[in-house]
Amino acid sequence: MKESNIALMEVCGTHTMAIARSGIKKLLPEFIRLISGPGCPVCVTSQSDIDKAVNLAGRKDVIMATFGDMMRVPGTFSSLANMKRNGADVQVVYSCLDALKIACSNPQKKIVFMGVGFETTSPTVAQTILEAKKRKIKNFFLLSNFKLIFPALRAICSMPDIKVDGFICPGHVSVITGADPYEKFAKTFKKACVITGFDDVDILKGIKRLVLMIKDGKYGVEIEYKRAVSKKGNPKAREILSSVFEETDSFWRGIGNIKGSGLHLRKEFESFDAEKEFNVKVPKPVFKKGCICGDVLCGKKTPEECALFGKACTPQNPIGPCMVSSEGSCAAYYKYGE
Amino acid sequence: MDKRITLAHGNGGRRMHELVEYFRGKFSNNMLNELADAAEISVKKGKIAFSTDSYVVKPLFFPGGDIGKLAVCGTVNDVSMKGARPLYLSLAFIIEEGFEFSLLEKIAQSIRNTALACSVKIVTGDIKVVEKGAADKIYINTAGIGVIEKNISVGTRARIGDYIIINGGIAEHGMAILNAREKLSFKSGIKSDCAHLNFIVQKCMKASRSISVMRDLTRGGLATALSEIAQASNLGIEICESDIPIKPRVKNFCNVLGFDPLYVANEGKFICFVAKKDIPRLKRAMSIESAVIGNVTKRHKRKVYLKTRVGSSRILPVLEEDQLPRIC
């Protein structure tokens, strides 16, 4: 392999931000190119899923509970932050269990938790649903937009115009999934994968291992984050997850529909399903013209290639999700660009 | 005294008179006791420093402080940053109807204790009570006056070659407040650094005559203060990530929530820009925890650069939006 063409994709948004924050790109030789992937849950949540949350937040009988970074994501007409400014009851929580507490202390209201995230987040939400069922809590609902990382990785590798030699794999997701599932993925697509942590040194060591693997023509998965990640991961968390959720097709902002890439509640838990409880219908989303977040999310383009970047689209006035999320590629480029 | 504050406590009648008397007793001094419309203050010839700030912190009581302590320290520190010796404060309350008197007592006691500790006198004040829902419990405004001794000139512009010293670990106030406000139920053990800096500043003024800028690091944190100074001075600033003091527990808590500690508020930290020769003396005056974190350069004018731990560098931008806890 020529030294001029090693392209590595950091899958996770936390990696994107850590790379920007520590200035790692400047330190790398020119032949290594880092591209950002689809692993920021805020960025890949589809516009109509945001519209649904906005719609629910606007109901008088609803308290919307959400992770902080979903607040400012623009839907077609509004954002949760906007709804809150206009009087809707939207509360930022750090954990789904906090949303359950809100439900218990507001029995006259319906509490909807905006469920967004990957395998790191969803098991704790599954546990909360089990808890809600056990305690027979009737006013707690989940708007499930959870996503799975492997279907997205496979989708990206199947795109003809994308060239990635190796993946910097997400440390926290891998704590749950373990390294084993990467093995099959790496073999199928002949890719080098290294799971690494979020410290600057973790990332540098991960990149080094990837470059060595690629130079040797090796594919497979290596763990550079052994203090947290094992081959088998956390089977207990996965068991809880699959007892509550099952796979479903899911729409990714920028990428489109990916088969089996989302999670929805199993039949026996459907009384907690906000979609069923409220039967929310939102109009077909209108996409902002000129926004290339989709291409940015699958690493086809860099934020700087977008005509809106830094001009019409800034963190104060974000147009696309990659600018609004604190861990989005555009936000990272804007914040730490020169 | 009634158990709760009512609109009658602000209507000029008997109840208000009782409340005014209560505060007068609490903060008693010759100037306040006159209860005139304005306090009369004698000052020596020369310059005075004058500053005001409003305090709307939520929750009112937090690990390491409360709104009363904050209202005194905040203004005392602002006045001190001009190299002045703060002497007098005004104190004004906006109280929401229904506020518990016992909490007001706690806040008043805290104001009294802090003012005593800072050696400042509360010489004038005001109380307004607003209808339920028109304010969130209680707001406090203080204004402060301090005297600037002869030959002291601390400005807003840094000089090329200045070094930057900070008096201790960053981000403690903001993270303590966040944990208390959002009821995140982390047993973080982080306390606000809320403290008055006037005596430390006096020591600094004695230790060095070469301080060009002093700035307390409140909202927006260290990064925002540095950006403002770089712009005001029309010069560049370079700081080194690994030299910036931060307690491990504060750093870890920031990490968990996805907060950048450089932008998190402080209430007892300040930076001094000073000539190289005075660094050792100034460090001794500031604190045992003080550290040199960077310097002023001709390069990259009006911008702040951070040398990262792994030897790269990047710009330290101005904060765009409030930081929010992240998903994972």
Side-chain angles (χ1 to χ4, degrees), chain A residues 14 20-24 26-27 41-42 67-72 92 94 101 116-117 120-121 199-201 204 315-316 327 334-338, chain B residues 182-186 241 255-260 263 305-306 308-317 319-328:
Chain A
T14 313
R21 198 178 283 158
S22 53
I24 282 177
K26 274 198 209 168
L27 296 177
V42 178
F67 292 126
D69 36 7
M70 292 309 293
M71 286 293 280
R72 287 194 286 259
V92 171
Y94 186 70
K101 274 189 213 152
V116 168
T120 329
T121 321
D199 273 352
D200 38 19
V201 178
L204 283 173
Q316 300 97 317
E327 303 203 330
Y334 185 90
K335 193 170 174 194
Y336 300 123
E338 281 156 38
Chain B
E182 304 296 339
K183 302 189 187 80
L184 294 177
S185 43
F186 285 99
E241 188 175 27
N255 258 337
V256 167
L257 294 177
F259 277 50
D260 187 340
Y263 295 90
Y305 267 72
L306 177 80
T308 66
R309 207 171 63 125
V310 289
S312 185
S313 73
R314 67 164 169 90
I315 196 164
L316 205 59
L319 186 67
E320 300 283 351
E321 289 276 0
D322 282 347
Q323 304 193 85
L324 290 168
R326 64 163 176 217
I327 293 172
C328 60

Side-chain angles (χ1 to χ4, degrees), chain B residues 164-308:
Chain B
I164 305 158
I165 313 179
I166 189 167
N167 66 326
I170 59 166
E172 290 162 19
H173 177 72
M175 296 319 283
I177 290 286
L178 184 84
N179 199 24
R181 183 179 62 213
E182 304 296 339
K183 302 189 187 80
L184 294 177
S185 43
F186 285 99
K187 293 197 178 88
S188 69
I190 299 170
K191 276 189 183 168
S192 165
D193 58 342
C194 178
H196 59 93
L197 297 167
N198 51 328
F199 297 129
I200 299 176
V201 168
Q202 294 305 309
K203 274 208 283 182
C204 292
M205 302 316 298
K206 283 202 184 95
S208 166
R209 288 283 166 187
S210 73
I211 299 169
S212 59
V213 182
M214 258 192 296
R215 183 68 58 91
D216 64 338
L217 310 174
T218 51
R219 277 178 299 177
L222 175 63
T224 304
L226 290 172
S227 291
E228 285 169 6
I229 294 166
Q231 283 170 28
S233 319
N234 202 25
L235 292 168
I237 290 176
E238 284 177 2
I239 58 165
C240 191
E241 188 175 27
S242 40
D243 292 338
I244 301 167
I246 177 166
K247 285 190 182 137
R249 63 174 59 183
V250 179
K251 190 177 174 184
N252 292 338
F253 192 40
C254 284
N255 258 337
V256 167
L257 294 177
F259 277 50
D260 187 340
L262 294 172
Y263 295 90
V264 175
N266 308 271
E267 283 294 343
K269 295 294 155 12
F270 72 116
I271 44 175
C272 284
F273 286 64
V274 68
K276 191 176 184 181
K277 65 176 173 55
D278 285 349
I279 291 173
R281 265 187 295 170
L282 202 55
K283 276 192 69 180
R284 271 198 302 276
M286 281 172 91
S287 157
I288 195 164
E289 289 166 27
S290 66
V292 178
I293 57 168
N295 58 296
V296 180
T297 77
K298 256 190 265 185
R299 280 181 296 171
H300 32 74
K301 273 194 175 170
R302 302 170 71 83
K303 290 200 164 75
V304 184
Y305 267 72
L306 177 80
K307 285 185 204 153
T308 66

Side-chain angles (χ1 to χ4, degrees), chain A residues 12-313:
Chain A
C12 175
T14 313
H15 273 144
T16 303
M17 223 28 169
I19 288 166
R21 198 178 283 158
S22 53
I24 282 177
K25 274 188 187 171
K26 274 198 209 168
L27 296 177
L28 295 177
E30 272 179 27
F31 70 90
I32 303 173
R33 193 163 70 94
L34 294 184
I35 46 185
S36 307
C40 161
V42 178
C43 303
V44 294
T45 300
S46 76
Q47 199 164 314
S48 53
D49 288 336
I50 305 282
D51 289 343
K52 278 181 198 165
V54 165
N55 179 303
L56 286 177
R59 294 178 56 123
K60 288 254 176 301
D61 56 339
V62 164
I63 298 176
M64 192 78 198
T66 174
F67 292 126
D69 36 7
M70 292 309 293
M71 286 293 280
R72 287 194 286 259
V73 187
T76 308
F77 305 106
S78 187
S79 65
L80 290 175
N82 223 340
M83 296 301 286
K84 188 181 167 89
R85 269 193 292 276
N86 292 320
D89 196 346
V90 182
Q91 299 190 16
V92 171
V93 292
Y94 186 70
S95 129
C96 186
L97 279 166
D98 293 338
L100 191 63
K101 274 189 213 152
I102 297 174
C104 295
S105 45
N106 294 276
Q108 76 291 0
K109 290 267 192 169
K110 293 175 173 177
I111 282 66
V112 180
F113 178 70
M114 171 77 169
V116 168
F118 290 100
E119 288 89 333
T120 329
T121 321
S122 42
T124 58
V125 176
Q127 182 61 43
T128 310
I129 295 286
L130 290 175
E131 184 72 21
K133 188 165 174 123
K134 198 171 105 191
R135 286 158 58 184
K136 299 193 172 66
I137 294 169
K138 302 277 184 228
N139 63 330
F140 177 74
F141 304 95
L142 172 71
L143 189 60
S144 177
N145 299 305
F146 292 112
K147 290 186 162 44
L148 301 165
I149 199 69
F150 289 102
L153 291 182
R154 288 195 290 269
I156 283 180
C157 288
S158 310
M159 291 178 182
D161 48 351
I162 290 178
K163 187 200 153 293
V164 178
D165 303 298
F167 287 91
I168 300 168
C169 301
H172 292 157
V173 163
S174 309
V175 170
I176 307 292
T177 64
D180 279 350
Y182 292 94
E183 207 58 75
K184 196 177 158 202
F185 161 76
K187 286 212 170 94
T188 313
F189 293 97
K190 299 198 166 53
K191 301 290 180 195
C193 294
V194 171
I195 299 164
T196 190
F198 298 94
D199 273 352
D200 38 19
V201 178
D202 286 331
I203 297 170
L204 283 173
K205 281 161 91 179
I207 292 172
K208 182 183 170 194
R209 277 173 94 146
L210 276 171
V211 171
L212 291 177
M213 283 171 83
I214 293 163
K215 282 194 151 188
D216 293 345
K218 281 206 282 193
Y219 46 85
V221 57
E222 292 187 6
I223 309 172
E224 183 51 65
Y225 192 36
K226 287 215 164 115
R227 62 185 189 274
V229 177
S230 65
K231 278 170 78 64
K232 299 283 170 219
N234 184 340
K236 180 78 190 162
R238 292 200 301 274
E239 192 189 307
I240 292 169
L241 184 64
S242 61
S243 70
V244 174
F245 291 102
E246 60 189 355
E247 287 176 15
T248 180
D249 297 351
S250 180
F251 194 90
W252 294 55
R253 173 119 58 163
I255 301 176
N257 195 50
I258 304 177
K259 211 165 178 261
S261 68
L263 293 173
H264 71 171
L265 288 165
R266 286 181 181 278
K267 206 161 175 42
E268 55 267 45
F269 298 98
E270 68 182 16
S271 60
F272 297 103
D273 192 336
E275 301 236 21
K276 296 218 161 67
E277 170 72 17
F278 298 99
N279 192 23
V280 199
K281 292 271 182 289
V282 290
K284 214 172 161 220
V286 184
F287 293 102
K288 308 278 176 4
K289 272 196 185 139
C291 174
I292 61 161
C293 276
D295 288 346
V296 172
L297 282 168
C298 27
K300 286 186 203 170
K301 287 192 174 153
T302 64
E304 284 134 332
E305 290 174 70
C306 178
L308 307 180
F309 177 77
K311 296 183 187 96
C313 183

